[in-house]
Amino acid sequence: MSLRSVHDRDELAALLRRDPALHAYELGDLDDEFWPQTTWYRHGDAVALLYHGTSLPTLIALDPPTRLPELTALIVAAVPLLPARFHAHLSTGAETGLVAGYDLHQVSGHLKMSLTDPGLLPPEPADGDVLGAVDLPELLEFYDAAYPQHWFEPGMLAKGPYLGIRRDGELVAVCGTHVWSPAYGVAAIGNVAVRPDVRGQGLGRTVVGQWCRLAAARVERIGLNVRADNVAAVALYRRLGFSVVGEYVELLATSRPAPATRP
């Protein structure tokens, strides 16, 4: 069994749809907008995606624990083809496939969650707004104040819905989009933030619930990523009907120089 590059979206979709909750992000990257920025590898039934659409490439390789050996073997085989520096989202334990060639930094545990009980979503509020280009300056100011370490970039506003709640005319809570692909039936929440002075009032639950109701009218699967140690966020998502469908690590990989050879 050997590593091979895959260029057939139907082949990839069939593999990823074995576990669409775990692979919602990769399914979204099969969409026309993102496909040109992707490189895909297959080893047996294990799949890895190298996404080139960010300042540093991101390697995504996920599988349930029962398939971890095959996934790790894929990563080991792919090491000679990977860039010198990249981010990675890897099923917990699969990062060992990189240690022969890379130093691993900023390793942190994360959870993948999927909406499995939409009946727990709150009623849609009357005061939520769909945000557009005209709201961009206000949105940037909001994130700088409410979520200084945010990953929001202006182009994200055009890739999927962003919803906001205002109080006295000012944004106080926002839920945005990381994945939006009705073509592949998946969406994922991103850039959720609540202004610090109004936290604890249920605004996060309200804005996320409204986003989920909007997305559920267009897609079959709604997911999200969250740090495993963010206890408050995990509890919020559970109350909204999300369940954990996978554990993974995020890390930064930097290639290790080859040992010098003696003359």
Side-chain angles (χ1 to χ4, degrees):
M1 189 184 303
S2 60
L3 182 77
R4 65 183 180 88
S5 181
V6 182
H7 307 280
D8 185 331
R9 279 191 273 190
D10 290 339
E11 176 184 346
L12 292 165
L15 290 167
L16 297 171
R17 282 176 173 150
R18 294 176 306 166
D19 194 341
L22 182 65
H23 296 299
Y25 281 68
E26 298 103 294
L27 282 165
D29 285 328
L30 296 176
D31 215 86
D32 288 347
E33 181 176 356
F34 303 106
W35 175 252
Q37 303 171 78
T38 62
T39 301
W40 299 83
Y41 300 106
R42 178 177 180 179
H43 186 275
D45 284 342
V47 175
L49 158 66
L50 188 63
Y51 179 70
H52 306 279
T54 49
S55 54
L56 273 183
T58 299
L59 176 69
I60 303 175
L62 305 166
D63 254 332
T66 54
R67 294 202 288 266
L68 187 61
E70 189 172 30
L71 184 69
T72 305
L74 181 158
I75 294 169
V76 170
V79 161
L81 306 175
L82 297 176
R85 184 176 170 86
F86 58 90
H87 291 294
H89 297 183
L90 308 176
S91 287
T92 304
E95 70 276 12
T96 59
L98 292 174
V99 296
Y102 289 86
D103 292 321
L104 309 183
H105 316 276
Q106 303 172 15
V107 181
S108 56
H110 286 68
L111 303 175
K112 282 196 168 288
M113 303 185 77
S114 183
L115 182 62
T116 54
D117 189 355
L120 294 178
L121 294 174
E124 187 169 348
D127 57 353
D129 297 321
V130 177
L131 305 177
V134 68
D135 302 296
L136 180 57
E138 182 185 10
L139 191 57
L140 289 167
E141 183 178 343
F142 166 82
Y143 277 125
D144 287 342
Y147 187 11
Q149 69 275 32
H150 67 84
W151 293 82
F152 176 76
E153 297 178 359
M156 293 178 176
L157 195 57
K159 295 180 179 178
Y162 271 68
L163 300 182
I165 293 176
R166 289 184 168 87
R167 292 288 182 268
D168 298 323
E170 295 184 353
L171 281 175
V172 293
V174 171
C175 179
T177 301
H178 273 173
V179 174
W180 187 259
S181 178
Y184 286 91
V186 293
I189 291 166
N191 290 323
V192 178
V194 177
R195 207 171 67 187
D197 60 310
V198 292
R199 289 175 185 165
Q201 299 179 22
L203 292 170
R205 180 174 183 270
T206 298
V207 75
V208 172
Q210 182 180 2
W211 189 98
C212 289
R213 288 190 177 279
L214 185 155
R218 300 287 306 280
V219 304
E220 294 80 44
R221 184 72 59 178
I222 298 172
L224 60 88
N225 296 340
V226 61
R227 280 186 65 109
D229 60 4
N230 191 343
V231 177
V234 173
L236 167 65
Y237 294 132
R238 287 188 184 277
R239 291 196 300 271
L240 286 165
F242 285 82
S243 301
V244 174
V245 296
E247 298 181 6
Y248 72 100
V249 294
E250 288 191 9
L251 56 89
L252 173 66
T254 304
S255 61
R256 190 179 302 118
T261 57
R262 294 182 179 180

